[in-house]
Amino acid sequence: AMPFKARLYIGVAVTVGSVLLGGCLTWHPQFPEIARFLAYISLACIASTMKVRLPRLQGTMSVNFVFVLMSIAQLSLAETLILGLAATVVQCRWRPKTRPKLIQVLFNSSAVVISAALAYRTARAIPGGPYTLMALIPAATAYFVVNTGMVSLIIAMLSNRSLPTVWKQGHLWTFPFYLVGAAIAGVARASG
């Protein structure tokens, strides 16, 4: 039996993620470069099948976050959120060690949608736009903190451990990968 506070947290996260995605698709359904979007979403889904099992984490890590960061630099918000959602669903469903419950897929997808939306807005709030490394580093940081923070919080709730302990042991050491992802997204933007 899942504790009430964990069920409430998951419900709020799924609701916020759904509202963000639905609102974006309703009020800002922009797909200006459909070919680029289709290429990126295809590559992100392929990358999602290449899971890296992390020794300190119960789950896996995928390099699909690099494509989320590339989307932040080059695509619309709607495209970025759809890409993040699709990549996360593929990551959760593609040959899992244990079959995830629907609620896990919904929560993880919502965490990515929320993280990607915040990172997208962060990149656009930096002078010079989302195309520079100086904007992509804060965007990658926002994506990392929100995404790993949300996942760490539910793990902490379910395991009766503290959030800082779960986050430090399971996620903090992955931060350099997000910075490398920001650099890759910056190079891809500069060359594309």
Side-chain angles (χ1 to χ4, degrees), residues 29-117:
Q30 300 169 348
F31 296 86
E33 294 184 54
I34 195 73
R36 182 180 294 210
F37 168 65
L38 293 174
Y40 278 20
I41 197 168
S42 298
L43 291 171
C45 288
I46 291 168
S48 294
T49 68
M50 300 174 203
K51 302 173 191 178
V52 178
R53 191 146 307 272
L54 302 173
R56 300 180 195 175
L57 192 61
Q58 292 175 329
T60 58
M61 182 175 180
S62 170
V63 294
N64 63 23
F65 71 90
V66 174
F67 292 96
V68 172
L69 295 173
M70 289 172 66
S71 295
I72 288 167
Q74 300 184 43
L75 301 177
S76 71
L77 178 59
E79 292 168 321
T80 299
L81 298 185
I82 291 169
L83 179 143
L85 174 70
T88 303
V89 170
V90 170
Q91 181 181 355
C92 290
R93 304 289 297 166
W94 181 264
R95 297 183 180 173
K97 191 172 185 178
T98 57
R99 188 173 178 90
K101 296 177 182 173
L102 177 60
I103 196 69
Q104 292 170 306
V105 176
L106 290 172
F107 175 79
N108 288 335
S109 299
S110 297
V112 167
V113 167
I114 294 165
S115 303

